[in-house]
Amino acid sequence: MRASTYSRRNRDGQPDEPFDLKKVLASFAGLPRVLRLVWEANPPLMIGMALFTLVGGFTPLATVIIARLLIDGALTAIREGSIAPIWLPVILQLGVGLLNAFSNTISSLFQSLLQDRVSNHVQSMVLRKANTLDLSFFENPEFYDKLSHASEEAANRPIAMISQTFGLGRTLITLLSMLGLILHLAWWLAIVALIVPIPSFIASSRYGLKNYRMMRWQSPEKRQQMYLNRLMTVDDFNKEIKLFNLGDFFIRRYQFLAEKFYEENKRLQVARNLNNFLWSALSIAANSGIYLYVALQAVTRVISLGALSQYTMAVNQAGQNFQGVLDGISSMYENHLFVNTLFEFLEYQPKIVSPKHPVPIETPLTSKGLDIEFRNVSFTYPDKAQPTLKNVSFTLRSGEAIALVGRNGAGKTTLVKLLTRLYDPDEGEILIGGRNVKEYDLHELRDHIGVIFQDYVKYNMKASENIGVGRVGEVENLELIDAAAHKSGADTVIGRLQEGYDSMLGRWFDKGMQLSGGEWQKVALARAFMRDARILILDEPTSALDAQAEYDVFTRFRHLTEGKTAIFISHRFSTVRLADRIFVIENGEVIENGSHQELMALDGRYAQLFNLQAEAYR
């Protein structure tokens, strides 16, 4: 049975940490770094918001005092038959009202502007952090939960915490001033006003923690819901969804999750709001008792009617403001829990990094060539029990073109990922130019390697940008872009578009043009040629092309990469035989290598696979 929303156990049956009032107050310990975060977004707006918010803390005291002056002035005016005594309090009230309205307006304006600044700042921090992290992070569901929380929740929560902090300062100013007035009448009234809201504060804090826990529990299924939404709203999936009549199936799943979240949230919110009402009723009853006491003081002429108004307003304001202080602390605690997801995300550190003192890549490559060597390399993906590569050793000579063949999952793409340091091997080492790739700067290493994977990206951008991002520093260089497009054959595709290289590709934006699979692949290949790297790798990017088109591409690729080290992966042996040497990979091991003629003469696994494919064409 699924754990209840109110249970102290999560959906996995593990006990949740119990509510601790000390941790509510300890949330203030995290305030300095939130203040720094907001300050980094825009210091002037933060200062302005603070000043105008705190100014508002004095206006309730002035309003209460002016109300007493007005009532007593009105009584004096009645006795004297002159309206002169009421002019001063009326003018004062006008001035205080205008000042309060102005400070609230400016404070709200600054908060609105600061909200945008903070949201953009936080999103930029999240993107910059994500850009530094290893590929393995993006294959981890827990990481995606934290990334989602950091992007969605933390963008708004920091400014909420800062707003509450300044609001607490304003409320405390009002509270202390009201307590000063109440103490003139009876000290115990101040104590009652302070004690009554405390149970409501504790209950509110408990429900804030429950709300946060529910968010954490729902995270995996929330991601499912987001994925279903993406399936139904993005063009990449629409064709298959229509052909297989999957729309209603996915919508039912989406609605099931939505209803589930609604019911869980309803149970929590109903209990939370009923609880708030009960404690509010206690506060109202206590205030009514205080009103009765103050009214009796006026009836017995201990205080004036003006003082009656002053004290009842002061007691009401004191209760409301102390409740506001406690609610603010409770809300800060809840927001602090959510903001912590941002800081937890920002604490992720990549494992694959550049060395402190990287070796310049040109020096060894010039002296020792571009030889690539795998020495006893083994690797297991983090979520796998069986190794993908086992004690792999081989050498690629500088300027050589090699092909990798084998079944899906044999480890071909993994070799490419290790060479480009998307992952590091568990054992062994990989050398380029006689040095371990870990000795090079990551960006410099990847600048020397051009890779197009089978699942290349179709950027919804201009045709020129789709190619230019292969060498982002030259993204505006149309001459270089056109040369790269000519090498891949993408120039003929782009030449048919109405606006040429300025044509928007994809369907997401206005005037976007959708290309066929083969046309997209030529654009992606142009991106690789744009790189002008010394090591070029094609990992089955031509799978959507017909056999003749793929052969033409690889023939051109082979010609254009003369003098460079080239690696290509393909299941078509008519293409594979263009390589100088062919490596056959099976179960994570290199079981054969040699030229096409040598491997056919060996009559081993390669010859078997070649003959199987050749048989299909007879």
Side-chain angles (χ1 to χ4, degrees):
M1 181 179 293
R2 180 174 51 82
S4 166
T5 302
Y6 310 111
S7 170
R8 288 187 178 177
R9 292 183 177 271
N10 61 31
R11 285 185 173 166
D12 297 324
Q14 300 299 316
D16 270 324
E17 193 173 351
F19 173 79
D20 188 348
L21 187 59
K22 292 180 181 178
K23 292 185 177 179
V24 178
L25 301 177
S27 62
F28 283 94
L31 187 58
R33 60 180 179 176
V34 178
L35 285 167
R36 284 196 300 272
L37 187 150
V38 177
W39 178 266
E40 290 169 359
N42 195 296
L45 286 176
M46 180 174 168
I47 293 172
M49 178 181 166
L51 290 176
F52 283 100
T53 300
L54 294 176
V55 164
F58 295 99
T59 54
L61 173 63
T63 300
V64 169
I65 294 173
I66 290 170
R68 175 177 183 171
L69 293 175
L70 181 61
I71 292 173
D72 288 343
L75 292 173
T76 301
I78 292 171
R79 287 196 303 270
E80 296 178 356
S82 170
I83 63 171
I86 66 172
W87 279 112
L88 177 61
V90 169
I91 293 172
L92 289 174
Q93 183 59 41
L94 175 63
V96 169
L98 290 174
L99 176 62
N100 187 54
F102 179 74
S103 63
N104 286 339
T105 299
I106 299 301
S107 177
S108 296
L109 173 61
F110 282 0
Q111 180 174 341
S112 177
L113 296 175
L114 191 57
Q115 171 68 62
D116 288 342
R117 285 293 192 186
V118 171
S119 179
N120 292 335
H121 179 58
V122 169
Q123 293 295 348
S124 295
M125 291 175 68
V126 170
L127 294 176
R128 283 195 295 268
K129 171 57 70 172
N131 190 44
T132 68
L133 298 178
D134 308 333
L135 178 63
S136 59
F137 284 97
F138 294 87
E139 297 173 347
N140 184 314
E142 181 182 349
F143 169 82
Y144 269 115
D145 285 340
K146 288 189 177 179
L147 173 59
S148 176
H149 298 157
S151 297
E152 295 174 11
E153 293 285 354
N156 297 319
R157 301 281 180 171
I159 191 62
M161 281 191 72
I162 298 305
S163 176
Q164 287 163 355
T165 300
F166 298 155
L168 279 175
R170 178 184 61 196
T171 305
L172 282 170
I173 291 171
T174 302
L175 174 63
L176 293 174
S177 62
M178 294 303 165
L179 291 176
L181 286 179
I182 295 171
L183 289 173
H184 282 91
L185 180 60
W187 62 269
W188 59 268
L189 292 177
I191 293 176
V192 171
L194 293 176
I195 290 176
V196 169
I198 291 177
S200 177
F201 157 68
I202 295 174
S204 179
S205 298
R206 285 181 182 274
Y207 278 103
L209 179 60
K210 289 178 179 179
N211 187 46
Y212 171 74
R213 286 174 178 166
M214 185 173 70
M215 177 274 293
R216 297 295 290 260
W217 294 342
Q218 291 178 342
S219 290
E221 291 174 322
K222 283 283 188 182
R223 279 191 292 109
Q224 289 182 29
Q225 190 182 39
M226 290 170 60
Y227 177 66
L228 291 168
N229 180 278
R230 178 175 171 79
L231 285 177
M232 293 298 298
T233 57
V234 175
D235 58 342
D236 291 349
F237 313 107
N238 192 261
K239 178 172 60 179
E240 183 164 320
I241 287 173
K242 280 184 166 54
L243 290 175
F244 285 92
N245 295 317
L246 296 175
D248 290 341
F249 172 72
F250 289 139
I251 291 170
R252 284 195 300 271
R253 284 197 168 187
Y254 181 92
Q255 289 175 331
F256 170 78
L257 290 172
E259 188 65 22
K260 183 179 183 181
F261 298 147
Y262 170 77
E263 290 298 329
E264 290 176 346
N265 186 59
K266 182 176 74 173
R267 285 195 294 271
L268 179 63
Q269 295 305 325
V270 167
R272 186 174 193 170
N273 283 276
L274 287 176
N275 190 279
N276 288 342
F277 169 74
L278 292 175
W279 290 118
S280 297
L282 175 63
S283 298
I284 292 169
N287 284 339
S288 296
I290 293 173
Y291 288 171
L292 176 61
Y293 172 80
V294 176
L296 291 173
Q297 298 300 301
V299 170
T300 56
R301 299 182 183 276
V302 174
I303 59 175
S304 67
L305 289 177
L308 168 65
S309 173
Q310 174 180 282
Y311 288 126
T312 53
M313 290 177 68
V315 168
N316 185 53
Q317 286 276 359
Q320 287 182 355
N321 280 277
F322 188 59
Q323 181 70 61
V325 169
L326 297 179
D327 287 346
I329 295 172
S330 177
S331 295
M332 282 189 63
Y333 168 62
E334 184 174 353
N335 283 324
H336 178 258
L337 292 172
F338 284 90
V339 169
N340 262 350
T341 61
L342 170 64
F343 294 115
E344 287 174 5
F345 173 79
L346 295 176
E347 286 170 3
Y348 277 117
Q349 294 298 326
K351 295 180 181 178
I352 299 174
V353 296
S354 299
K356 289 184 178 180
H357 304 290
V359 175
I361 203 165
E362 287 295 339
T363 302
L365 294 186
T366 301
S367 60
K368 298 184 180 180
L370 256 175
D371 288 357
I372 299 171
E373 183 179 359
F374 280 68
R375 290 183 184 172
N376 305 314
V377 170
S378 296
F379 177 75
T380 304
Y381 283 100
D383 59 340
K384 302 293 184 182
Q386 297 298 319
T388 303
L389 296 176
K390 294 175 284 188
N391 199 34
V392 172
S393 296
F394 61 87
T395 300
L396 310 183
R397 294 183 291 274
S398 179
E400 186 177 25
I402 65 112
L404 304 178
V405 300
R407 296 177 179 177
N408 290 334
K412 305 184 298 296
T413 298
T414 301
L415 288 171
V416 176
K417 290 179 178 178
L418 293 174
L419 179 62
T420 53
R421 291 203 71 197
L422 293 176
Y423 287 95
D424 278 338
D426 301 326
E427 297 177 7
E429 58 180 347
I430 301 169
L431 298 90
I432 296 181
R435 286 188 176 272
N436 192 311
V437 291
K438 295 181 181 180
E439 298 181 42
Y440 299 129
D441 177 81
L442 266 178
H443 294 290
E444 191 176 4
L445 172 68
R446 290 168 181 168
D447 278 343
H448 283 78
I449 303 176
V451 186
I452 292 294
F453 289 103
Q454 182 177 8
D455 55 346
Y456 57 85
V457 180
K458 302 173 183 177
Y459 294 104
N460 281 259
M461 299 188 300
K462 291 180 180 179
S464 62
E465 293 169 331
N466 258 281
I467 298 172
V469 292
R471 191 172 171 184
V472 72
E474 301 290 341
V475 73
E476 301 291 337
N477 189 335
L478 286 179
E479 183 177 347
L480 198 59
I481 290 170
D482 185 61
H486 179 72
K487 291 176 182 179
S488 74
D491 57 334
T492 58
V493 175
I494 296 169
R496 292 194 294 267
L497 301 178
Q498 187 173 359
E499 297 183 41
Y501 285 104
D502 287 329
S503 300
M504 182 67 67
L505 301 187
R507 292 292 192 188
W508 282 28
F509 303 108
D510 189 35
K511 297 182 180 179
M513 300 293 296
Q514 187 60 279
L515 304 181
S516 69
E519 290 171 334
W520 269 116
Q521 285 183 322
K522 290 180 179 179
V523 171
L525 285 168
R527 198 179 302 150
F529 287 122
M530 182 75 184
R531 194 83 169 166
D532 194 29
R534 302 175 69 178
I535 301 172
L536 284 172
I537 304 171
L538 300 186
D539 185 357
E540 297 191 75
T542 56
S543 57
L545 300 178
D546 59 53
Q548 182 62 50
E550 184 186 78
Y551 181 82
D552 292 343
V553 166
F554 274 100
T555 301
R556 183 180 298 183
F557 175 76
R558 185 71 184 90
H559 172 70
L560 292 169
T561 56
E562 287 183 2
K564 298 182 179 182
T565 303
I567 301 172
F568 53 90
I569 300 171
S570 176
H571 287 290
R572 288 187 179 133
F573 288 87
S574 58
T575 297
V576 167
R577 63 191 300 173
L578 295 172
D580 297 321
R581 280 194 297 161
I582 302 164
F583 290 78
V584 182
I585 302 172
E586 196 157 294
N587 297 321
E589 299 177 275
V590 177
I591 60 171
E592 296 174 0
N593 86 87
S595 67
H596 171 72
Q597 292 78 10
E598 291 169 343
L599 292 177
M600 291 300 293
L602 184 64
D603 197 24
R605 182 61 174 158
Y606 175 83
Q608 179 186 10
L609 293 172
F610 181 88
N611 290 326
L612 281 172
Q613 191 170 107
E615 185 67 28
Y617 287 96
R618 291 172 183 162

